[in-house]
Amino acid sequence: QMQLVESGGGLVQAGGSLRLSCAASGRTFSSCTMGWFRQAPGNEREFVARISTSGGYTDYADSVKGRFTISRDNAKNTVYLQINNLKPEDTAVYYCAGRLPGRTNYEYWGQGTQVTVSS
């Protein structure tokens, strides 16, 4: 089992930056592909970014490429999402998630952190 706790959300003006953190408990973190997802009001949850176990591979949704950076520190059991040049359409609850090796679906989810971008 792994528990995930996100932090770092808040209210920012368009053009601003935030750094989201996701702290994991348990010993499975370094074995998991980690991802960030977001859900805006009235929308389905959508993929934002993912990072491989070593951090050597990352992948992003087209809508955030060039503005978002995912990273991880396995020694600290933490995954990060650096968000730059925030736009009002980035307003959403952001969730981190973990996926075990060989699995298709993300099995572990945090409770989410709210990001609100004002124009």
Side-chain angles (χ1 to χ4, degrees):
Q1 286 293 333
M2 181 169 68
Q3 292 185 329
L4 303 173
V5 179
E6 301 95 334
S7 61
L11 172 64
V12 296
Q13 289 187 331
S17 298
L18 282 175
R19 188 194 196 201
L20 307 183
S21 299
C22 174
S25 64
R27 289 178 284 184
T28 58
F29 176 80
S30 60
S31 302
C32 287
T33 294
M34 298 300 297
W36 284 96
F37 295 76
R38 66 185 181 184
Q39 187 169 19
N43 291 353
E44 293 186 354
R45 187 161 55 190
E46 65 175 358
F47 166 77
V48 173
R50 63 176 172 173
I51 187 166
S52 62
T53 54
S54 67
Y57 173 82
T58 57
D59 185 29
Y60 298 91
D62 288 342
S63 59
V64 307
K65 283 180 180 176
R67 299 189 297 121
F68 289 21
T69 303
I70 189 171
S71 61
R72 67 189 296 163
D73 186 336
N74 286 343
K76 295 182 178 179
N77 277 12
T78 302
V79 61
Y80 305 97
L81 187 68
Q82 177 68 41
I83 309 175
N84 297 328
N85 189 22
L86 277 156
K87 304 177 180 181
E89 52 263 41
D90 294 320
T91 295
V93 178
Y94 284 71
Y95 300 89
C96 72
R99 189 179 74 197
L100 288 169
R103 301 293 177 90
T104 301
N105 296 322
Y106 286 82
E107 299 177 72
Y108 305 106
W109 291 87
Q111 83 290 347
T113 185
Q114 176 72 48
V115 171
T116 303
V117 184
S118 62
S119 57

